[in-house]
Amino acid sequence: MAKSKTVYTCQQCGAQAPKWQGQCPACGEWNTLVETITEQATKRQKTQGSARPVNTLAEIATAHERRFSTGMQEFDAVLGGGIVPGSVVLLGGDPGIGKSTLMLAALEHLPAGMPALYISAEESLGQIKMRAERMQVANSSLSLLNETDIDAIVATIRELHPLVVVLDSIQAVTTGDLSGQTGSVGQVRECAARLTQLAKEQDIAVFIIGHVTKEGVVAGPRTLEHMVDTVLYLEGDPVYHYRLLRAVKNRFGSLSEVGIFEMTAGGLQQVANPSGLFISGDTEHASGSVLTVTMEGSRAIMLELQALTVKTGFGYPKRTTSGYPLQRLQLLLAVLTRRAGLALYEQDVYANIIGGYKLEDTAVDLALCLAIASSVRDVPLAQGTVVVGEVSLSGGIRPVRQLDARVKEAVNLGARKILVPQLGYDTIKRYAGEVDCVPVQNIRDALGLL
Ligand code: TYD
Ligand code: MG
């Protein structure tokens, strides 16, 4: 056994110190020293500098991409077409968002007989059993382990030879070779490195779960992003039921796919047709409600925007939004006032996106403007009207990206009339037979259609 020693290495300049210090003695940066292991110095010296065999591209056998399914199309798509053997995936997200639930569901639906191991370092086996019962998980090829020592975990994996491993979570495992606390950057990195090495060596697909705090200061998992092949984030508002699974890095696929799930009493269920989640259905005839289509990656999602305007009681008019940037709302109100002559200076304005959806897509600008105007005038839009378009400061309607996909989604969901930017109209003309496509040039024209 090579003697290993722990030192503190600066993440900024690489200088080493024998003890932890708040400030790096070499470069003077604060909080950059992380506990690391230096080992096998003698072995490294021996092999250093000797020539290695090289290959041309033609000599390398093409590795036919083998993948297997998680049984959930949404998950597979985000992974780039399924699980790649030997790949390491980091699954991050806020505590309680559903990471353990998602992974348990994925393990349940692996191809029959495929050996899998779920390592829980946080919850007892009894707790996992309870969750599994709730989700009706009954995969007999799935083994469970409750362990926090990464070296014991590695030894178990070596003996068991599973093809898929889930570690829940990286912040709860430690190695005795480091003196740092569980969850410290040093521990997290070292444990992940050991698991990654094993994954590559034994061709095991490993999913590492990591909690990410709200502040985005992801001391811990974030430092793993460069070590792993794929980084996924599970997002959503705990108050609402839908969850989005996004890839922020993927060596085996594109980043444009987004998985949409719904948290139900029986676990996370994939949602093939998400548009229904964000439409209230009962307010179609009410004023202030407008349907629009936004994009998540390459997927179009139809959703409902609502605006409510009320005469200001006293003082400044109030502007409140939920799910939509307040600054953008204020900008649109300014455009409506100046370019469309809508008197809003004595109106409180509330804007809301149904279902707790959060978006920053400027393609819904025009829809929100119409929702506001519809509320001010108390005139509902014609039933089945969908509105897409970005609004510029001059009051012009600007083209939006992927207009075709948006119109297609609207048509699929039975839209009768769709307002689109004049400048993109040519690309969607072919839908004119199925739906009444109305090109609009500026905000004044759009309000005129109300
Ligand atoms: P969990 O997977 O434990 O979150 P994480 O691992 O990201 O911390 O999910 C926790 C939440 O999910 C919890 O608030 C309960 C809810 N939940 C359901 O609504 N239905 C279910 O079937 C399960 C298992 C959990
Ligand atoms: Mg969990």
Side-chain angles (χ1 to χ4, degrees):
M1 270 276 295
K3 269 266 163 63
S4 64
K5 208 176 93 196
T6 69
V7 295
Y8 289 83
T9 311
C10 174
Q11 301 298 293
Q12 191 79 24
C13 70
Q16 294 187 331
K19 279 200 337 211
W20 189 82
Q21 285 168 279
Q23 189 180 21
C24 171
C27 68
E29 276 296 317
W30 290 91
N31 279 325
T32 54
L33 291 186
V34 166
E35 191 180 27
T36 46
I37 296 181
T38 57
E39 62 179 339
Q40 298 156 336
T42 47
K43 185 175 151 207
R44 188 188 287 170
Q45 270 157 17
K46 261 190 230 151
T47 54
Q48 235 169 28
S50 61
R52 305 282 202 284
V54 295
N55 295 99
T56 63
L57 281 173
E59 281 164 1
I60 304 169
T62 311
H64 279 288
E65 223 184 40
R66 300 159 295 150
R67 289 184 189 252
F68 45 90
S69 170
T70 60
M72 291 192 280
Q73 265 178 15
E74 297 281 309
F75 200 167
D76 286 350
V78 177
L79 287 170
I83 303 177
V84 179
S87 66
V88 181
V89 179
L90 174 67
L91 173 64
D94 290 333
I97 205 73
K99 300 180 294 298
S100 307
T101 308
L102 176 67
M103 285 320 305
L104 202 56
L107 291 183
E108 162 72 357
H109 296 109
L110 286 177
M114 181 173 279
L117 176 64
Y118 183 100
I119 304 149
S120 175
E122 290 181 356
E123 294 166 302
S124 69
L125 294 182
Q127 283 173 303
I128 299 170
K129 171 91 180 173
M130 269 165 56
R131 178 183 291 128
E133 276 176 353
R134 189 172 170 184
M135 295 169 59
Q136 299 184 342
V137 169
N139 182 351
S140 57
S141 310
L142 169 63
S143 313
L144 300 160
L145 170 70
N146 178 228
E147 180 57 64
T148 57
D149 178 32
I150 193 74
D151 301 302
I153 290 170
V154 167
T156 310
I157 296 173
R158 279 185 192 283
E159 206 176 289
L160 202 70
H161 296 299
L163 287 177
V164 184
V165 168
V166 173
L167 174 64
D168 188 2
S169 71
I170 190 69
Q171 276 112 330
V173 291
T174 45
T175 168
D177 294 342
L178 291 179
S179 57
Q181 263 188 335
T182 312
S184 67
V185 179
Q187 285 283 10
V188 164
R189 285 174 47 146
E190 185 57 31
C191 292
R194 288 180 189 198
L195 212 53
T196 305
Q197 199 186 357
L198 182 69
K200 302 292 166 196
E201 184 188 306
Q202 310 242 323
D203 222 15
I204 301 170
V206 173
F207 288 84
I208 299 176
I209 294 179
H211 296 292
V212 174
T213 54
K214 263 265 155 56
E215 299 75 49
V217 195
V218 230
R222 258 282 152 80
T223 65
L224 302 181
E225 284 189 354
H226 68 279
M227 261 179 167
V228 299
D229 299 308
T230 302
V231 180
L232 307 180
Y233 276 95
L234 188 62
E235 306 168 351
D237 189 330
V239 178
Y240 295 97
H241 296 304
Y242 81 93
R243 303 283 181 267
L244 296 185
L245 184 67
R246 265 179 228 280
V248 295
K249 164 183 172 176
N250 194 353
R251 286 188 183 142
F252 309 113
S254 85
L255 300 182
S256 62
E257 291 304 330
V258 177
I260 301 175
F261 298 88
E262 193 176 5
M263 184 62 93
T264 67
L268 271 182
Q269 309 286 342
Q270 51 180 354
V271 181
N273 181 4
S275 292
L277 285 177
F278 311 113
I279 297 171
S280 64
D282 57 338
T283 47
E284 273 219 43
H285 316 280
S287 62
S289 268
V290 176
L291 295 173
T292 184
V293 183
T294 188
M295 298 300 297
E296 274 298 347
S298 60
R299 290 178 61 164
I301 300 176
M302 180 132 106
L303 40 85
E304 182 179 335
L305 296 178
Q306 289 186 325
L308 182 67
T309 55
V310 192
K311 197 169 175 334
T312 307
F314 60 87
Y316 286 113
K318 251 202 288 244
R319 273 82 218 257
T320 314
T321 67
S322 149
Y324 187 83
L326 180 62
Q327 278 196 335
R328 190 83 199 158
L329 172 68
Q330 281 166 334
L331 182 148
L332 295 179
L333 293 175
V335 175
L336 280 170
T337 308
R338 278 293 307 277
R339 308 292 179 194
L342 209 61
L344 290 162
Y345 38 83
E346 279 189 328
Q347 300 280 338
D348 290 345
V349 180
Y350 303 88
N352 177 36
I353 298 175
I354 295 287
Y357 197 84
K358 290 194 174 58
L359 60 71
E360 299 209 341
D361 187 0
T362 49
V364 309
D365 284 355
L366 182 58
L368 190 56
C369 286
L370 284 181
I372 295 164
S374 153
S375 177
V376 171
R377 297 182 186 165
D378 202 15
V379 181
L381 261 74
Q383 215 185 335
T385 305
V386 176
V387 181
V388 173
E390 183 179 327
V391 174
S392 76
L393 288 182
S394 64
I397 308 302
R398 295 175 37 77
V400 304
R401 67 186 171 89
Q402 291 167 287
L403 181 62
D404 192 291
R406 296 180 206 249
V407 173
K408 196 167 158 199
E409 177 74 0
V411 170
N412 285 345
L413 290 170
R416 294 183 197 164
K417 182 174 180 175
I418 176 158
L419 270 60
V420 296
Q422 168 93 59
L423 279 170
Y425 181 66
D426 284 346
T427 62
I428 55 112
K429 253 204 279 204
R430 60 198 168 86
Y431 292 103
E434 297 166 72
V435 63
D436 181 12
C437 294
V438 185
V440 280
Q441 216 163 3
N442 60 52
I443 189 83
R444 204 175 264 278
D445 292 353
L447 294 203
L449 294 170
L450 255 182

